[in-house]
Amino acid sequence: MAAAFDAGVNFFRQRGGLRQGQAESIMGEALHSLRKRRASYIVSTKFFWGLHDGPNEKNTLNRKYLLQAIDGSLARFKLDYVDLVFCHRSIPPHRSRKRYGRCTT
């Protein structure tokens, strides 16, 4: 990441659900070791919605779920804020991607 940053890369994107957040933790450590001003780079994360069948967990972007996802990412990154958050709707395996598409905001 240091070589990328030195070459001008300043946008770093990660998926929140990847390996239970382990990738965010690794990237957070790498960003911290760069010792660059936080305003000099952009951090983006992504989370999936509708993964569970429980109440308020299926096909939802309720406030509680959104805040929990963001707080989890912040803790793993060890940052005060992320610059961009993507939400991705999971599609059940038996459904067609053509019909349901992707939801990225």
Side-chain angles (χ1 to χ4, degrees):
M1 289 182 73
F5 196 88
D6 292 341
V9 174
N10 69 343
F11 181 83
F12 301 98
R13 178 175 177 248
Q14 193 53 257
R15 287 177 42 189
L18 196 59
R19 294 189 182 253
Q20 291 79 37
Q22 184 180 10
E24 285 182 337
S25 298
I26 292 168
M27 181 180 280
E29 292 295 327
L31 289 171
H32 183 71
S33 69
L34 291 176
R35 300 194 183 276
K36 303 289 184 183
R37 288 181 310 107
R38 174 59 184 93
S40 67
Y41 57 89
I42 297 169
V43 176
S44 169
T45 190
K46 179 179 185 180
F47 66 92
F48 291 87
W49 62 286
L51 292 177
H52 305 287
D53 289 332
N56 298 321
E57 296 180 318
K58 185 175 183 178
N59 295 328
T60 185
L61 277 178
N62 66 49
R63 183 177 187 274
K64 180 183 178 211
Y65 181 73
L66 177 64
L67 292 175
Q68 285 176 337
I70 292 170
D71 287 344
S73 288
L74 291 175
R76 290 185 293 271
F77 277 125
K78 296 181 184 170
L79 294 175
D80 294 333
Y81 66 94
V82 291
D83 300 285
L84 187 61
V85 175
F86 292 93
C87 73
H88 184 83
R89 181 177 182 188
S90 63
I91 299 173
H94 64 281
R95 304 256 172 107
S96 166
R97 285 197 180 272
K98 288 181 183 178
R99 180 176 174 199
Y100 289 89
R102 293 177 64 179
C103 168
T104 304
T105 59

